[in-house]
Structures are given as C-alpha cells and as structure tokens.
C-alpha cells in the first residue's frame, strides 16, 4: 500500500512539483527519503539537525557561502537577509553539526543546506566545494540555472543532491557523477536535454529521478546494471526500445517509471527478472506486441500500467493472478480478450481498467474498424502468451545471470510448483 501511494504521487509529475527532502525546508514541506538500498520510499518525519549556536566553523565556510550569496540575483522572500557575518550556523537554511572525528579542529561544520521553495534566482558556484562536510544540498523550487560545478567532486560527504524544479538546462550534468558518495540524485522539472551517459547507471545511486526534462535518444543499454531502487525517466523524449540486456544480480529495484516517452518495440521477456519490483509504469508510449508471460514472475508488483500503447493479443491470465496487485491498467491498447481470472480482479479490490481495447462484447471498447490491421504484427516478439508459469529469477538462483548478457525467459523452462 505504501508503494502504491508513492506511485500515485509520482503520477502527478506533469501537474506539480514535490519537495524531495528528508528535512523541513524553507517552505515548510516535508519530502521523501530513500530508506537505504533495497527498501521502499517512505515519508520522512525527521527534523533538520540542530545548529551549533557558537557559530565557530571552518574558516573556509564563510567565504564559500558569501561567494554563493553574491551569485544570487533575486531573493523575493528575503531568505538571504540572515546571511550576514561569520556565524554561518545562524544563516537561514544552513545546518551545522559536529564534524567527523579527526576531520576538523572546528567545533561545528556546515553539514547541510535546505533552501527548498525559497524562490531564489542565481547559479551554483565552485566555492561550494569548500563546504567539505556538506552531506545534503536541497534546492527544490527555486530558479537556479547554469551548470553544476566540476568542483563538486570534492564534496566527499555529499549523499543527497536535489536540484529539482529549477531552470537548469543543457546536457546531463556529468559533474554529478564525480561526487564520490552520492546516493540520491533528483533533477526532475528542469530543462536538461540530450542523451544520458552510460556512467549514470554504473554509479552507486539509490534514486535516479530525471522526470520532466527534455532528455532524448535511447535509454542506455546498461540501465539494468544500476543498483538504484527507484528510476524515473517519465515525461521526457526517450525513443527506441526498452533495454533488453538483463542479468539477475539480486538488484533491489522497486520502481520504474517510463511513462510518456516515445518508446517503441516490445516489452522484453526478461523484465520478469526484476522480481523485487513494486511499480512498473510503461504507459503513454508506442510499445507493441503481446504482454510477456514473464510478468507473472513479478510477485511483489502492486501497480502495473501499460495503458496507451499499441499492445495486442489476449491479456495473460498469469498477469491477472499476481497476488500483490493493487492497480492494473491496460486501457487504450488493442487487447482482444482476457479471461475470468481478470474479471475476478474487482472482487480482490484491484483497480482494473481495460477500456479502449478490442474485447468483443465489452463496453467502452474501440470501434471494430480500429481493431483491424493491428500495429506491430510483424515483430518477432509477437508470440502467443503462455498459460503456464515460467521459470522466474528466484528459481534460477541468485547470480544466475551476468549483467550485459541478454537472458530470455522461455516457457519451455520447467514450471514452478
């Protein structure tokens, strides 16, 4: 239920921006926190760490923050009025704490900055790297633009970088990949464009949130090598097919949102290897072929959305039998039928939307002329869905595949008991 709630929030990407912060920010909103790799996103309740009243910090932190203040051109809410004098721990939005052992002689260091919804206009400056103990930088809901300085690579303690809902543009900021211990990267609601670097999915990130930008090109083939638990590429301009190179490594990926792009081709059979996934949204693309029976392996999935594509054939019974389902949407495709098992979803309180298809004898379906000449009938993936269970990742054993090697789930493999 928790994951379904998070998915419903994320489905509003096109209409509103959200705070992604583990702390109470300038705007008073409480955001979200990735609770460690392999766990779900949950609402955060923690408060920001208390500031040290003494204000005695590293000698480099005062000039660093003053340099950044000078790069801000608009401050309609007067946030920076407190950014005066050497006591940086009293600055609004700046949080201090005791330094790591043997790392500083100062009693306090700047450990975090939360300026969410401050409506500041300006740019990031290279001097921010002088805040060497910074662990989080939350800038959601401002008007920052320009580049992420290469000097950020020196921020060895930085684990959270939230630049969402700003005015950043240009190619993917590869400088973020140089931050050694970054775990959480949120770039949504900006105007970044171009292709994604392969290195993004090789970095040890737990959250990759890139929705509502102008990224384009194909999704890198090493996508599934990422250790992230959340990957959101929704509302961009990605084209080509969903990467089909899978390897079972026990990855903790739980949420994949690819909705509203320009993806084509088939849903890969090997998607069934993502056996920890809870939310999979491939809606509003141009995917074709049948829904692979391997989806029956996704025993933890709560939300499955393939609506507004060009999928066809019968909806496999095995998909409707998924035990954890809370919502299944296949609307506005070209499905020709489904079984009584799918009809029983309503008795399980599972949301099931199949409107706008080609199911004979059902209401709210396409006019018959639209159901002839189905798209993508010449694709090799257009196989007949199996009514038998397929061998899933758990049955294949931990580490049964190698990242970068295409693993095809075959219905000829032994069925699970």
């Amino acid at each position: 239920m928790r994951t379904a709630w998070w998915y419903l929030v994320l489905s509003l990407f096109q209409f509103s921006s959200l705070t992604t912060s583990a702390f109470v920010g300038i705007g008073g909103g409480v955001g979200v926190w990735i609770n460690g790799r392999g766990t779900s996103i949950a609402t955060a309740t923690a408060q920001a760490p208390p500031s040290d009243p003494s204000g005695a910090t590293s000698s480099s932190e005062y000039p660093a923050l003053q340099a950044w203040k000078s790069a801000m051109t608009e401050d309609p809410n007067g946030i920076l009025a407190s950014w005066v004098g050497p006591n940086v721990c009293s600055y609004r939005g700046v949080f201090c704490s005791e330094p790591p052992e043997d790392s500083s002689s100062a009693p306090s260091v700047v450990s975090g900055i939360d300026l969410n919804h401050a409506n500041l206009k300006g740019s990031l400056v290279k001097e921010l790297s002088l805040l060497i103990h910074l662990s989080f930088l939350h800038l959601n809901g401002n008007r920052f633009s320009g580049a992420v300085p290469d000097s950020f690579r020196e921020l060895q303690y930085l684990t959270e970088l939230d630049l969402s809902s700003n005015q950043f543009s240009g190619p993917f900021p590869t400088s973020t990949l140089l931050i050694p211990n970054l775990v959480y990267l949120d770039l949504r609601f900006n105007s970044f464009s171009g292709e994604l670097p392969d290195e993004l999915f090789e970095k040890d990130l737990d959250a990759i949130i890139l929705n509502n930008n102008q990224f384009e090109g194909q999704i890198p083939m090493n996508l599934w090598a990422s250790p992230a638990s959340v990957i959101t590429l929704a509302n961009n301009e990605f084209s080509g097919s969903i990467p089909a190179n899978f390897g079972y490594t026990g990855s903790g990926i739980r949420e994949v949102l690819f909705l509203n792009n320009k993806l084509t081709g088939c849903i890969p059979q090997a998607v069934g290897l993502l056996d920890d996934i809870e939310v999979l949204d491939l809606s509003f693309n141009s995917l074709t072929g049948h829904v692979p029976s391997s989806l029956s392996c996704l025993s933890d999935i709560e939300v499955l959305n393939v609506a507004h594509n060009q999928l066809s054939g019968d909806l496999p019974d095995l998909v409707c039998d998924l035990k954890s389902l809370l919502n299944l949407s296949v609307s506005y495709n070209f499905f020709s039928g489904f079984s009584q098992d799918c009809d029983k979803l309503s008795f399980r309180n599972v949301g099931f939307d199949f409107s706008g298809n080609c199911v004979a004898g059902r209401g709210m379906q396409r006019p018959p002329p639209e159901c002839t000449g189905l798209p993508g009938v010449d694709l090799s993936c257009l196989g007949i869905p199996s009514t038998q269970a397929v061998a899933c990742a758990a049955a294949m054993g931990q580490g049964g595949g190698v990242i970068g090697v295409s693993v095809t789930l075959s219905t000829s493999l032994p069925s699970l008991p």
Side-chain angles (χ1 to χ4, degrees):
M1 188 68 70
R2 176 180 58 207
T3 298
W5 172 87
W6 173 238
Y7 167 76
L8 292 174
V9 172
L10 288 178
S11 68
L12 301 177
F13 275 158
Q14 293 173 303
F15 309 109
S16 64
S17 68
L18 304 173
T19 304
T20 49
S21 167
F23 304 102
V24 177
I26 295 296
V30 177
V32 298
W33 168 255
I34 307 297
N35 284 328
R37 180 157 294 110
T39 59
S40 299
I41 292 179
T43 305
T45 57
Q47 300 292 319
S51 294
D52 189 307
S54 70
T57 63
S58 168
S59 60
S60 64
E61 295 179 339
Y62 170 67
L65 291 172
Q66 290 301 310
W68 191 24
K69 179 181 178 181
S70 298
M72 301 199 200
T73 57
E74 293 185 19
D75 176 22
N77 297 326
I79 302 299
L80 302 179
S82 64
W83 286 35
V84 177
N87 183 6
V88 298
C89 296
S90 68
Y91 290 8
R92 192 173 178 187
V94 175
F95 302 101
C96 296
S97 63
E98 294 182 358
E101 291 184 7
D102 302 324
S103 64
S104 174
S105 58
S108 296
V109 294
V110 174
S111 57
I113 295 177
D114 187 342
L115 293 173
N116 284 342
H117 302 291
N119 198 23
L120 295 166
K121 183 177 182 179
S123 60
L124 304 179
V125 296
K126 67 180 186 303
E127 287 85 357
L128 285 171
S129 64
L130 298 175
L131 306 175
I132 59 174
H133 297 100
L134 197 68
S135 64
F136 65 89
L137 180 59
H138 296 160
L139 302 178
N140 171 285
N142 287 282
R143 290 174 289 153
F144 289 109
S145 59
V148 180
D150 287 342
S151 62
F152 272 35
R153 73 176 70 190
E154 300 172 21
L155 296 173
Q156 61 175 315
Y157 293 104
L158 189 66
T159 59
E160 300 177 47
L161 180 61
D162 181 357
L163 304 181
S164 61
S165 299
N166 278 282
Q167 298 175 1
F168 293 103
S169 60
F172 180 90
T174 55
S175 55
T176 60
L177 304 180
L178 303 176
I179 303 172
N181 293 302
L182 193 66
V183 172
Y184 178 88
L185 178 63
D186 189 347
L187 303 179
R188 61 193 159 124
F189 286 98
N190 280 287
S191 297
F192 291 114
S193 59
E195 299 185 359
L196 297 182
D198 292 348
E199 293 79 5
L200 172 63
F201 300 107
E202 297 170 0
K203 188 169 177 61
D204 197 23
L205 293 169
D206 192 38
I208 301 173
I209 305 179
L210 308 180
N211 59 279
N212 292 81
N213 279 282
Q214 298 168 22
F215 290 118
E216 58 188 0
Q218 295 194 353
I219 299 173
M221 292 299 292
N222 65 342
L223 165 74
W224 306 115
S226 173
S229 63
V230 177
I231 300 177
T232 72
L233 307 182
N235 302 318
N236 279 286
E237 302 290 331
F238 292 110
S239 58
S241 59
I242 298 173
N245 286 357
F246 286 74
Y248 184 64
T249 62
S251 172
I253 189 166
R254 295 183 181 274
E255 303 181 22
V256 173
L257 303 184
F258 289 170
L259 65 148
N260 197 25
N261 280 285
K262 298 178 179 179
L263 299 176
T264 57
C266 311
I267 300 175
Q269 279 277 354
V271 73
L273 292 174
L274 303 176
D275 59 349
D276 287 329
I277 200 165
E278 297 174 353
V279 175
L280 178 62
D281 193 331
L282 307 177
S283 62
F284 289 92
N285 283 287
S286 297
L287 301 173
T288 51
H290 286 295
V291 171
S293 296
S294 62
L295 287 177
S296 63
C297 293
L298 308 183
S299 58
D300 291 332
I301 197 164
E302 298 179 2
V303 177
L304 175 59
N305 190 348
V306 296
H308 291 269
N309 280 286
Q310 299 175 16
L311 302 169
S312 57
D314 289 341
L315 185 65
D317 300 350
L318 296 170
V319 174
C320 293
D321 287 340
L322 288 166
K323 64 180 181 180
S324 299
L325 265 183
L326 297 175
N327 188 283
L328 172 62
S329 181
V330 300
S331 62
Y332 292 94
N333 281 283
F334 293 88
F335 289 110
S336 55
F338 54 83
S339 73
Q340 292 182 352
D341 289 335
C342 298
D343 268 330
K344 295 176 183 178
L345 288 174
S346 59
F347 296 103
R348 294 168 45 194
N349 293 319
V350 176
F352 179 39
D353 186 359
F354 63 91
S355 59
N357 279 285
C358 300
V359 183
R362 300 281 183 160
M364 301 180 67
Q365 300 298 292
R366 292 179 182 273
E370 293 185 11
C371 295
T372 59
L374 298 180
V377 293
D378 57 341
L379 291 176
S380 60
C381 65
L382 195 62
I384 303 301
S386 171
T387 58
Q388 300 296 318
V390 298
C392 301
M396 296 169 68
Q398 295 286 338
V402 179
I403 289 295
V405 177
S406 181
V407 178
T408 302
L409 293 178
S410 171
T411 54
S412 64
L413 292 172
S415 299
L416 293 175

